[in-house]
C-alpha cells in the first residue's frame, strides 16, 4: 500500500478521554473512530489487525477440530425465556421490539441459539462430540464502557460451543479448547495464563480465564511465577490424544482471579514465586454441563438405547479486545510495537526524498519485491519531511522500517530499523529485502 493513497487519519493530539496507552495509540494511529460510548468504526489500519487476529483464532480453532459457522446478532427473546436467562441477564442485554411487537435482543452470547440449532438436528450419540464456533459481533450494554475497544459495548468475539454425551467427554472438549487457547495467544506474542475463574451468568463450575498481565488490567490476579514463560504445546499437539497432562501441568500451579482467590492456598506458593498483579481477560472457557441443554431439551439417544441430555461447554475469545491487549503488552512512548504475526503491514518503506529519481527507484523496487514476497509493505511516498515520517512510522508500529535517503544511496545503502529494539543496520537494498523476509520465516503462511 502506498501511504499517499491509503486512508490513515492520524491524530496529532491525544484525546483526553483516552486513559490507557492502547486506547491513545489506537485513536492516534487512526485505527478506530468512536461514535458513541463503546461503539466504534474499525478504520482500515485497525480492521487489518482485527482480521489478522481473527484469522489466527480461526486457524487454531480449526486445528483443534472446531467447525466454523455463523449465527445471527439478533436473537428471539423466546429462546432466552426457555433457558431462564431472559430475566437474569438484566440491563446488560439490549432488548429490541420489532414492528409486530415481537421481543428480540442483540446477542451478548450464543448458548441459547446454538442449543436450538443442536436440538433441531442432532439425535444420536454417534454424532457426538460436536465443537462449533463463530466469530460474530456481540452487544453488552456495559455499565462502564471504557479503555477503547477493551471494554466496548459492541465487540467481536469468537465463541465456541461443545456438545458431549457425558461429563467425561465434555472435559475432553474443554481440554481441547484449553490447549488451543495456549497456542492461539502465543502466536500473537502474548503470555496468557489460565486462571481459575468465576463462572458468572454463564454457569457451571469448571472454568478458566486466560489472562495477560498488564498494569492497566481491570482484574486483580494471583499466580505462580512458573506459569509465566511456560512453553506452549505448539501446532504438533495431537488434539485426539490425551490432553489432560498438558492441562494438569498448568492447573497444578496456583493461578486465580480475584473472585476465586484463596489466600491460604496462595500462601503455600514459595514467596519468591508469588506473583500478584493486574490482568486483562482475553479468553474465558466454561464447562457447564446441562445448564442449557436440560431446560431447552437438547438430548441424544445413547448407546444404551436411552435418551441423554447433552453436556455442554462454551469458550470465548475477545477478538476486538485483543487488539487493545496486544498494544498494552507491546508499546513504548513513541507508539505501538506490533508482534510480527498481527502487524497490519509487514514493513514500512520511508522515502526521505519523494520525487527524487534515485530514492523513488529504490523504494519502488523494494516495494515490489517485498510485496511479491508476501510482506505487504506500507510505502511512505508522501512529501513530508523525515521527522514526520519517522514519528508516524514509530506510532503505527510496523516491526521493520527501511529508510531510503539520498545520502545512503550514494554508498548503495539503506537503513533498516527494527522497531522493537531500535537497532539500525546499514544494508544494501538486496540485503534489506532478504533480512526482512528471513524475519517472517515461519510466520507467513
Ligand atoms: P468481563 O469480565 O471482562 O466483563 P466476561 O466474563 O463478561 O468478561 P465472557 O462472557 O467470558 O466475558 O466473554 C468472552 C470474552 O469476550 C472475554 O474473555 C473478553 O475477552 C471478551 N469481552 C467480554 N466483554 C467484553 C467487552 N465489553 N468488550 C470487549 N471484549 C469483551
Ligand atoms: Mg462482562
Amino acid at each position: 500500500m502506498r501511504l499517499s493513497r491509503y486512508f490513515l487519519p492520524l491524530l496529532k493530539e491525544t484525546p483526553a478521554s483516552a486513559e490507557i496507552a492502547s486506547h491513545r495509540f489506537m485513536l492516534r494511529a487512526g485505527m478506530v473512530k468512536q461514535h458513541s460510548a463503546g461503539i466504534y468504526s474499525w478504520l482500515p489500519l485497525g480492521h487489518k489487525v482485527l482480521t489478522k487476529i481473527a484469522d489466527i483464532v480461526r486457524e487454531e480453532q480449526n486445528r483443534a477440530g472446531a467447525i466454523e459457522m455463523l449465527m445471527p446478532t439478533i436473537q428471539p427473546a423466546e429462546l432466552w425465556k426457555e433457558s431462564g436467562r431472559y430475566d437474569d441477564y438484566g440491563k446488560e442485554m439490549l432488548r429490541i421490539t420489532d414492528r409486530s411487537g415481537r421481543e428480540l435482543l442483540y446477542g451478548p452470547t450464543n448458548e441459547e441459539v446454538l442449543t436450538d440449532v443442536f436440538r433441531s438436528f442432532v439425535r444420536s450419540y454417534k454424532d457426538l462430540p460436536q465443537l462449533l464456533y463463530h466469530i460474530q459481533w456481540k452487544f453488552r450494554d456495559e455499565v462502564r464502557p471504557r479503555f477503547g475497544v477493551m471494554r466496548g459495548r459492541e465487540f467481536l468475539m469468537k465463541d465456541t460451543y461443545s456438545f458431549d454425551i457425558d461429563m467425561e467427554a465434555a472435559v475432553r472438549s474443554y481440554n481441547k479448547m484449553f490447549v488451543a487457547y495456549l497456542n492461539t495467544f502465543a502466536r500473537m506474542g502474548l503470555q496468557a495464563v489460565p486462571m481459575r475463574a468465576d463462572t458468572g451468568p454463564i454457569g457451571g463450575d469448571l472454568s478458566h480465564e486466560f489472562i495477560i498481565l498488564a498494569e492497566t488490567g481491570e482484574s486483580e490476579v494471583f499466580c505462580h511465577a512458573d506459569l509465566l514463560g511456560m512453553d506452549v504445546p505448539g501446532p504438533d499437539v495431537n488434539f485426539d490424544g490425551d490432553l489432560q497432562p498438558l492441562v494438569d501441568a498448568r492447573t497444578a500451579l496456583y493461578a486465580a482471579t480475584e473472585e476465586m482467590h484463596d489466600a491460604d492456598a496462595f500462601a503455600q506458593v514459595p514467596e519468591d514465586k508469588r506473583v500478584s498483579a493486574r490482568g486483562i481477560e482475553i479468553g474465558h472457557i466454561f464447562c457447564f454441563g446441562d445448564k442449557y441443554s436440560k431446560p431447552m431439551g437438547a438430548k441424544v439417544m445413547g448407546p444404551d438405547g436411552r435418551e441423554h441430555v447433552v453436556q455442554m461447554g462454551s469458550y470465548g475469545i475477545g477478538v476486538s479486545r485483543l487488539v487493545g491487549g496486544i498494544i498494552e503488552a507491546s508499546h513504548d512512548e513513541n507508539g505501538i510495537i506490533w508482534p510480527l504475526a498481527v502487524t497490519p503491514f509487514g514493513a514500512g518503506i520511508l522515502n526521505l526524498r519523494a520525487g527524487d529519481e534515485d530514492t523513488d527507484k529504490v523504494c519502488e523496487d523494494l516495494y515490489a519485491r517485498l510485496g511479491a514476497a508476501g510482506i505487504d509493505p506500507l510505502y511512505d511516498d508522501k512529501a513530508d519531511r523525515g521527522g514526520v515520517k519517522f514519528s508516524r512510522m514509530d506510532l503505527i508500529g510496523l516491526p521493520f522500517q527501511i529508510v531510503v535517503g539520498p545520502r545512503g544511496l550514494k554508498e548503495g545503502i539503506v537503513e533498516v530499523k527494527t522497531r522493537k529494539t531500535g537497532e539500525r543496520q546499514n544494508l544494501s537494498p538486496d540485503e534489506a529485502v532478504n533480512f526482512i523476509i528471513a524475519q517472517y520465516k515461519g510466520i507467513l503462511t
Side-chain angles (χ1 to χ4, degrees):
M1 178 58 65
R2 288 167 203 277
L3 189 59
S4 61
R5 295 186 200 160
Y6 199 46
F7 184 75
L8 187 66
L10 303 184
L11 298 185
K12 288 222 173 57
E13 250 111 88
T14 303
S17 64
E19 300 167 63
I20 61 172
S22 59
H23 190 195
R24 280 198 296 275
F25 289 139
M26 286 185 73
L27 293 170
R28 283 191 46 211
M31 294 177 66
V32 287
K33 150 84 188 153
Q34 182 181 315
H35 299 289
S36 171
I39 299 181
Y40 293 86
S41 278
W42 288 80
L43 304 178
L45 194 75
H47 181 247
K48 265 193 133 191
V49 177
L50 187 67
T51 304
K52 284 204 169 180
I53 291 172
D55 286 347
I56 291 176
V57 170
R58 179 179 286 119
E59 271 178 41
E60 297 303 327
Q61 285 296 301
N62 295 348
R63 204 194 298 280
I67 305 169
E68 189 171 15
M69 61 182 291
L70 187 60
M71 288 174 266
T73 54
I74 306 290
Q75 308 178 7
E78 288 96 81
L79 289 177
W80 288 67
K81 289 179 179 166
E82 274 191 64
S83 74
R85 272 210 293 186
Y86 193 60
D87 294 325
D88 292 356
Y89 221 90
K91 288 194 160 182
E92 257 196 31
M93 181 186 276
L94 180 65
R95 296 155 204 259
I96 306 164
T97 310
D98 72 9
R99 63 201 296 163
S100 46
R102 287 188 52 161
E103 290 174 298
L104 302 171
L105 57 100
Y106 195 122
T109 178
N110 283 59
E111 281 80 7
E112 283 80 357
V113 174
L114 193 54
T115 303
D116 189 34
V117 171
F118 182 91
R119 70 179 174 186
S120 308
F121 302 113
V122 184
R123 297 275 172 265
S124 162
Y125 74 94
K126 290 179 192 148
D127 297 322
L128 299 183
Q130 288 291 344
L131 264 173
L132 295 159
Y133 76 99
H134 71 164
I135 299 176
Q136 176 64 291
W137 295 92
K138 305 289 185 286
F139 194 94
R140 294 181 185 176
D141 204 351
E142 300 275 357
V143 193
R144 240 191 115 192
R146 58 179 185 158
F147 298 161
V149 300
M150 299 266 262
R151 183 165 296 283
R153 291 199 292 167
E154 191 184 41
F155 61 96
L156 190 60
M157 194 203 285
K158 182 286 299 174
D159 37 325
T160 308
Y161 302 85
S162 63
F163 300 86
D164 284 280
I165 186 71
D166 55 26
M167 248 331 186
E168 203 183 314
V171 171
R172 280 199 293 274
S173 293
Y174 185 88
N175 289 348
K176 282 186 189 176
M177 287 297 113
F178 190 107
V179 170
Y181 277 31
L182 294 173
N183 286 343
T184 302
F185 300 129
R187 275 186 67 185
M188 299 172 193
L190 296 172
Q191 270 191 6
V193 181
M195 302 198 180
R196 272 178 56 80
D198 192 19
T199 53
I202 309 269
D205 45 37
L206 176 58
S207 175
H208 287 89
E209 281 180 8
F210 287 73
I211 303 266
I212 52 171
L213 303 188
E215 277 167 30
T216 48
E218 286 187 295
S219 11
E220 202 177 346
V221 297
F222 305 86
C223 72
H224 191 296
D226 289 357
L227 282 165
L228 304 167
M230 223 167 163
D231 282 343
V232 301
D236 297 331
V237 62
N238 175 8
F239 280 98
D240 293 319
D242 182 11
L243 302 174
Q244 197 64 51
L246 287 172
V247 173
D248 290 346
R250 277 144 184 105
T251 54
L253 296 171
Y254 188 89
T257 58
E258 207 171 349
E259 300 83 26
M260 298 299 282
H261 185 48
D262 173 347
D264 292 337
F266 192 50
Q268 305 296 306
V269 175
E271 199 173 350
D272 60 329
K273 296 279 188 188
R274 269 177 237 157
V275 177
S276 70
R278 302 200 68 82
I280 300 169
E281 177 196 330
I282 52 178
H284 197 165
I285 60 179
F286 306 85
C287 179
F288 43 70
D290 61 6
K291 180 168 165 126
Y292 304 91
S293 47
K294 198 169 170 190
M296 294 184 69
K299 293 177 272 199
V300 294
M301 199 55 83
D304 53 3
R306 293 217 302 260
E307 276 196 326
H308 295 249
V309 172
V310 291
Q311 304 295 317
M312 293 175 58
S314 76
Y315 315 89
I317 290 182
V319 175
S320 51
R321 177 179 288 181
L322 272 167
V323 180
I326 290 169
I327 299 174
E328 284 302 315
S330 184
H331 69 271
D332 63 15
E333 66 281 8
N334 298 323
I336 303 164
I337 304 173
W338 289 116
L340 273 58
V342 302
T343 184
F345 295 97
I349 303 166
L350 288 73
N351 188 341
L352 292 188
R353 196 174 285 173
D356 173 272
E357 205 179 319
D358 295 338
T359 60
D360 284 0
K361 187 167 169 295
V362 169
C363 286
E364 289 292 342
D365 185 53
L366 289 169
Y367 182 57
R369 289 169 63 191
L370 289 172
I375 301 293
D376 191 16
L378 179 66
Y379 172 22
D380 185 347
D381 56 345
K382 292 174 79 166
D384 303 319
R385 57 187 177 77
V388 172
K389 294 190 179 224
F390 296 138
S391 51
R392 180 162 57 209
M393 228 15 123
D394 279 355
L395 172 64
I396 67 175
L398 309 185
F400 305 101
Q401 306 172 3
I402 310 181
V403 182
V404 182
R407 218 178 311 147
L409 280 192
K410 283 212 181 80
E411 285 150 46
I413 56 163
V414 297
E415 188 182 73
V416 177
K417 176 175 157 183
T418 301
R419 176 71 180 86
K420 188 173 178 174
T421 58
E423 184 198 351
R424 295 161 194 277
Q425 313 172 62
N426 288 325
L427 301 175
S428 71
D430 274 352
E431 288 166 340
V433 169
N434 292 337
F435 170 76
I436 289 171
I437 291 173
Q439 306 309 302
Y440 281 95
K441 205 160 172 247
I443 287 175
L444 286 176
T445 41

